[in-house]
Amino acid sequence: MTDQMIAWEIEEWIRDYKFMLREIKRLNRVLNKVDFISTKLTATYGDEAGMPRGSAGVSQAELRQMDRRERRLHKYESIVHYLDNAMEHIEEEKHRIVYDCMMEGMSYTAIANHLDCSRDTIRKIKTAIIGNIVNKVKEANFLQYLNSFKSAV
């Protein structure tokens, strides 16, 4: 994968950061939900007694769906954790502020107004930040690690 493709991928992660946080919360809620299966302990009579009962276990389709959700959860958690740790590798304070604003989903114009500088300056800072993260991703082979989760999403 070329540096430009990795940069696009990282920009997409940053753009989707808030979405991933919400999805992690939702998946945790879905996967950790406890269903209490009510079972009748009294004998039944009449037509109901002769009817077949469904199994109380989890079907194969539900297990596959849970596996897909679990893999997606781990992938999103890995990306969010990586993006959070990327802040530590940014030295300049202004770059940290721009990165933080990007993670919040602010536009170039909003960030430029916040820092009282031009949109072009923000674009240059963003390019430097993304370039820094691209180098870290390549060093850590992070994309190869994520490919193990690729089949789930």
Side-chain angles (χ1 to χ4, degrees):
M1 200 181 259
T2 66
D3 286 357
Q4 184 61 45
M5 291 172 71
I6 296 171
W8 288 335
E9 184 98 14
I10 291 169
E11 285 182 47
E12 187 178 348
W13 293 346
I14 292 172
R15 231 184 349 265
D16 293 344
Y17 180 77
K18 288 181 106 175
F19 154 75
M20 284 190 237
L21 289 176
R22 286 191 310 270
E23 185 66 5
I24 287 169
K25 192 180 296 184
R26 185 189 75 83
L27 288 171
N28 274 326
R29 193 172 50 247
V30 168
L31 291 172
N32 295 328
K33 183 171 77 172
V34 178
D35 288 333
F36 292 106
I37 301 169
S38 64
T39 56
K40 283 189 171 180
L41 298 177
T42 59
T44 54
Y45 300 98
D47 290 338
E48 199 175 314
M51 300 299 288
R53 305 214 191 293
S55 77
V58 180
S59 70
Q60 287 297 316
E62 289 174 318
L63 287 174
R64 282 192 301 273
Q65 186 179 31
M66 286 176 61
D67 284 344
R68 283 193 304 269
R69 285 179 177 157
E70 234 172 45
R71 285 192 301 260
R72 189 174 347 129
L73 173 67
H74 291 307
K75 178 180 179 179
Y76 287 165
E77 285 176 336
S78 298
I79 292 171
V80 165
H81 182 69
Y82 196 86
L83 289 175
D84 287 340
N85 288 339
M87 179 73 84
E88 297 171 8
H89 301 292
I90 300 172
E91 279 92 35
E92 293 184 45
E93 189 63 28
K94 198 172 196 177
H95 288 209
R96 286 177 184 231
I97 293 169
V98 170
Y99 182 69
D100 193 39
C101 290
M102 287 168 48
M103 298 285 273
E104 289 179 17
M106 293 173 67
S107 66
Y108 280 151
T109 307
I111 298 171
N113 289 338
H114 177 65
L115 294 177
D116 196 29
C117 59
S118 70
R119 287 180 60 209
D120 191 48
T121 304
I122 299 302
R123 185 186 53 77
K124 289 177 184 173
I125 291 173
K126 180 193 143 210
T127 303
I129 292 169
I130 298 293
N132 186 7
I133 296 173
V134 165
N135 291 335
K136 297 295 178 192
V137 164
K138 285 170 47 177
E139 285 175 14
N141 291 327
F142 187 66
L143 290 177
Q144 286 79 5
Y145 172 71
L146 286 181
N147 282 338
S148 64
F149 301 117
K150 194 110 180 153
S151 62
V153 178

